[in-house]
Amino acid sequence: MTGRRKSGEFDLIARFFEPLSRAVPGAFALGNDGALLTPAAGASLVVTKDLMVAGVHYPEGEEPAVLARRLLRVNLSDLAAMGATATAYALGLALPEGTDDTWVEAFAAGLARDQKAFGVALIGGDTVATGGPAVLSLTAFGTVVGNACLTRSGARVGDDVYVSGTIGDATLGLRGVQGGLAALPPEDRAALEVRFRRPEPRLGLGAALVGLATCAIDVSDGLVADLGHLCAESGVAARVAADAVPLSDPAHHALAAGEADIADLVTGGDDYELLFCAPPSARSDIDALGRRLHLALTRIGAIEPGQGITVLGADGQPLSITQAGYQHF
């Protein structure tokens, strides 16, 4: 990224990011040291933050608009997991020295596209230059009525375990982005890569699960790992049937072609589907909710007393899983 004009920090903010803040009067056109947020009467703020580091969370050279949309969406997924309505976000960018305006302009355009789609706006942040890899940080803000939110700590013995959408697509999509999946047809690779690059935050589902689900988490580290986080917070164990885990057609094709096995799919991260629990008495309500949202909500297991996660294969025997999911350290 050389040979093109590189703006100073304040010019960059004024040209590319200030327009993203105009929907929020309390953002002060990004001209102050902070923003003023006033939740509606009786509402509480929900705040979440995620980082993406080049070469760690995404391949070097990824398109800036793709990165912007993914960064926003993975944070909105955290709000969805708590049943919140998304309202605003703050942005932190540490960009390699020499990053030009073309890159920043494309990144801002990606944010503009998705913030309109999800009804949020930029309220502040910071930009710096770095001699290391790019670090992209976003803090998302949402609201819930009163203190009524979903947490990870409410699972009860006897609850059903559900997951939305399909599982394993994103981990396969990353392999495709990295040049793998040679045995799959191009249309399958393309579909899986979209699932990695452009996850769908389940905001409508999360809000609708408040008062219906006992707990929830989004699948970021991997289904087994994240179910483990949920169970650890709730002080319970879980049993999952591998053949009940919902898979897309391209994922089924990848299994048949030997590009992955089921253990890869239930431990791969970045799906950003919602994993949640509910009592058996809620089954008909959850089925109706899935139909209303046009979203598959699949019962994959149950909560049990004890500790840990057991994933049963098609033969009824526990699968051998050496690593439950992505580990940050």
Side-chain angles (χ1 to χ4, degrees):
M1 293 184 291
T2 59
R4 293 194 177 100
R5 179 174 175 272
K6 181 168 75 79
S7 298
E9 178 186 8
F10 293 104
D11 183 36
L12 181 149
I13 292 170
R15 291 177 62 199
F16 302 126
F17 296 118
E18 185 275 332
L20 303 181
S21 73
R22 292 174 185 169
V24 183
F28 305 114
L30 307 186
N32 276 270
D33 290 322
L36 182 65
L37 293 179
T38 306
S44 297
L45 275 177
V46 178
V47 184
T48 186
K49 171 187 268 306
D50 266 335
L51 292 168
M52 286 174 23
V53 180
V56 177
H57 301 102
Y58 64 88
E60 297 274 6
E62 189 72 284
E63 291 294 323
V66 169
L67 293 177
R69 299 179 72 185
R70 186 163 185 266
L71 179 66
L72 181 57
R73 286 165 178 249
V74 301
N75 278 274
L76 295 182
S77 181
D78 282 336
L79 294 181
M82 295 195 69
T85 298
T87 57
Y89 67 97
L91 181 68
L93 298 178
L95 300 178
E97 295 174 356
T99 300
D100 61 55
D101 288 6
T102 302
W103 193 99
V104 179
E105 182 177 19
F107 185 88
L111 288 177
R113 179 171 179 173
D114 269 10
Q115 74 167 42
K116 180 178 181 181
F118 293 110
V120 295
L122 180 65
I123 59 169
D126 196 16
T127 56
V128 299
T130 177
V135 179
L136 316 176
S137 171
L138 193 142
T139 303
F141 300 84
T143 60
V144 294
V145 177
N147 294 317
C149 67
L150 299 169
T151 70
R152 301 179 181 184
S153 59
R156 305 169 190 144
V157 172
D159 277 356
D160 295 322
V161 178
Y162 289 85
V163 71
S164 65
T166 56
I167 291 298
D169 293 332
T171 194
L172 290 171
L174 177 58
R175 293 184 190 183
V177 169
Q178 294 172 331
L181 305 184
L184 295 186
E187 59 269 25
D188 279 354
R189 291 199 303 273
L192 294 168
E193 288 172 15
V194 166
R195 288 277 286 154
F196 169 72
R197 287 176 161 142
R198 199 160 66 239
E200 191 67 35
R202 302 301 187 184
L203 289 161
L205 173 61
L209 286 174
V210 175
L212 185 60
T214 56
C215 59
I217 188 173
D218 69 334
V219 181
S220 55
D221 294 337
L223 185 147
V224 174
D226 288 312
L227 183 55
H229 300 326
L230 188 154
C231 286
E233 289 294 323
S234 297
V236 294
R239 170 179 40 84
V240 169
D243 58 2
V245 174
L247 304 179
S248 67
D249 287 343
H252 278 296
H253 299 163
L255 289 178
E259 291 281 3
D261 59 31
I262 190 63
D264 295 327
L265 304 189
V266 298
T267 59
D270 291 323
D271 286 311
Y272 296 100
E273 296 292 349
L274 291 193
L275 181 66
F276 62 95
C277 299
S281 60
R283 288 179 184 177
S284 60
D285 289 334
I286 290 171
D287 289 343
L289 175 59
R291 291 192 297 271
R292 178 165 66 84
L293 296 176
H294 304 288
L295 176 64
L297 304 177
T298 305
R299 183 157 44 96
I300 61 171
I303 297 298
E304 301 178 330
Q307 296 180 331
I309 310 301
T310 302
V311 182
L312 301 178
D315 60 359
Q317 297 302 308
L319 293 182
S320 176
I321 293 176
T322 57
Q323 184 169 309
Y326 180 78
Q327 295 182 344
H328 296 268
F329 292 93

